[in-house]
Amino acid sequence: MKAVAYFSSLPISQPEALVDVEMDKPVPAGRDLLVKIEAISVNPVDCKIRRNVDPQGQAKVLGWDAVGIVESVGAEVSLFKVGDAVYYAGDITRSGSNAEYQLIDERIVGFKPHTLTNAEAAALPLTSITAWEMLFDRLDINKPAHSKPVLLVVGGSGGVGSILIQLAKHLTQATVIATASRQESQDWVNQLGADYVVNHRQPLKAQIDALGLGEVTHVACTTHADQHFGTLIEVLKPQGKLGIIEFANSSVDLNLLKDKSISLHWEFMFTRAKFHTEDMIKQHHLLNRIGALIDEGTIQTTLGHHLGRINATNLRCAHELSESNKAIGKIVLEGF
């Protein structure tokens, strides 16, 4: 089968950073599906692993978001059959979706939304799971409270922010404040339903205070948590909740959380698959719920950039765009 891999960690400007390769087609067993890949999307995690995980001369295939058709199934599969159209965000411990075929555990796979093209559906899985788990599993935003939630979404125009805003508007009672700095990204988050937009390149507290909403009760920080950490503690209500998806570096002072008893919640959508948690199948149900919300017109795809066919040249362009931090919505490639 065709695939795109890397053999050593290199800057994306170098042609050898991602290369076209031929690999053996895998065979499913157990609860695995063998999926023929139709479309993929690129996420910041692809770039982070390429830069920081050196395969030391072995071919490593990246990619997690995927849409495809089930070609064959393992003996223990019960949720899908051959011919089903599926979508999923993958398992960080296994070979990725930048290949013609991929093995994937059925418990983290959903049925592709009927109303979307393959490219539109490929934009959704990883960010939808991340946003859903952040809002409902980590921040528990629908927990009964004395006041209406005020949610600040840092990085509103990115992949996670784009779906998180929609889920928050349609499935919670929260007032949603999103951050975006450029006019096109501000227009994007307004279109997705944000109640207010503030510029994260300017002091956030003064902008939020000017809205007259009171203190923020929940923060979903999708990017640059280290740069905003002190300000986020400042704007959060005592006993508020802060969710982040990045590693915290040494500049982040966790002691700042103490006086306000603010709780810190990490969201890592690969946790359930990586550790085969007892509730691993929740991602199957979650993706099916997202698909239903899409098909009924409640939320929309967050596809922002379609960069053509799946090959090394186009994937290098996708990684470069992701690393620029200028992408609006998701970056998708389609077909071999």
Side-chain angles (χ1 to χ4, degrees), residues 77-279:
V77 166
S78 62
L79 302 174
F80 299 94
K81 65 182 185 303
V82 172
D84 284 339
V86 296
Y87 77 145
Y88 53 86
D91 179 345
I92 202 167
T93 67
R94 305 184 70 176
S95 189
S97 60
N98 296 345
E100 282 189 284
Y101 296 90
Q102 184 185 18
L103 293 178
I104 188 75
D105 190 300
E106 65 170 347
R107 288 170 289 182
I108 56 172
V109 176
F111 290 100
K112 170 187 168 289
H114 301 296
T115 56
L116 297 185
T117 66
N118 289 331
E120 290 169 337
L124 289 169
L126 187 147
T127 51
S128 294
I129 294 171
T130 301
W132 187 286
E133 291 182 349
M134 173 76 85
L135 283 173
F136 306 116
D137 294 345
R138 313 302 175 221
L139 296 179
D140 197 12
I141 198 166
N142 280 338
K143 180 179 179 179
H146 294 295
S147 58
K148 182 178 178 181
V150 177
L151 171 68
L152 174 63
V153 183
V154 179
S157 65
V160 175
S162 294
I163 193 71
L164 196 147
I165 289 168
Q166 296 184 75
L167 293 177
K169 286 306 300 176
H170 291 289
L171 301 180
T172 82
Q173 297 299 311
T175 298
V176 178
I177 309 167
T179 80
S181 60
R182 293 173 291 143
Q183 186 61 54
E184 55 266 41
S185 55
Q186 292 173 357
D187 292 343
W188 173 263
V189 297
N190 276 318
Q191 173 195 330
L192 295 175
D195 296 299
Y196 302 94
V197 182
V198 294
N199 188 338
H200 51 250
R201 299 193 185 280
Q202 299 174 8
L204 283 176
K205 188 174 188 306
Q207 296 177 77
I208 292 171
D209 286 347
L211 299 176
L213 301 173
E215 293 171 299
V216 172
T217 61
H218 301 75
V219 170
C221 186
T222 70
T223 185
H224 296 109
D226 56 335
Q227 296 179 19
H228 300 295
F229 196 76
T231 299
L232 299 181
I233 303 306
E234 193 176 7
V235 302
L236 264 167
K237 184 177 183 178
Q239 303 183 88
K241 295 186 176 184
L242 169 60
I244 64 175
I245 61 176
E246 300 173 310
F247 284 107
N249 64 32
S250 58
S251 69
V252 172
D253 183 2
L254 297 181
N255 290 316
L256 295 174
L257 301 166
K258 180 175 171 49
D259 277 0
K260 287 186 172 181
S261 295
I262 290 170
S263 55
L264 177 62
H265 305 264
W266 257 286
E267 162 54 23
F268 187 52
M269 65 127 289
F270 294 117
T271 295
R272 285 182 163 121
K274 182 176 182 178
F275 296 100
H276 281 234
T277 61
E278 61 186 10
D279 64 349

Side-chain angles (χ1 to χ4, degrees), residues 33-52:
L33 312 173
L34 178 67
V35 176
K36 185 179 187 300
I37 302 297
E38 302 289 344
I40 62 170
S41 76
V42 171
N43 295 279
V45 65
D46 300 56
C47 305
K48 291 175 183 176
I49 291 179
R50 193 202 79 248
R51 292 194 305 263
N52 299 310

Side-chain angles (χ1 to χ4, degrees), residues 13-28:
S13 58
Q14 297 191 25
E16 298 81 11
L18 292 168
V19 295
D20 294 307
V21 297
E22 290 281 337
M23 306 182 77
D24 292 335
K25 181 179 174 180
V27 177

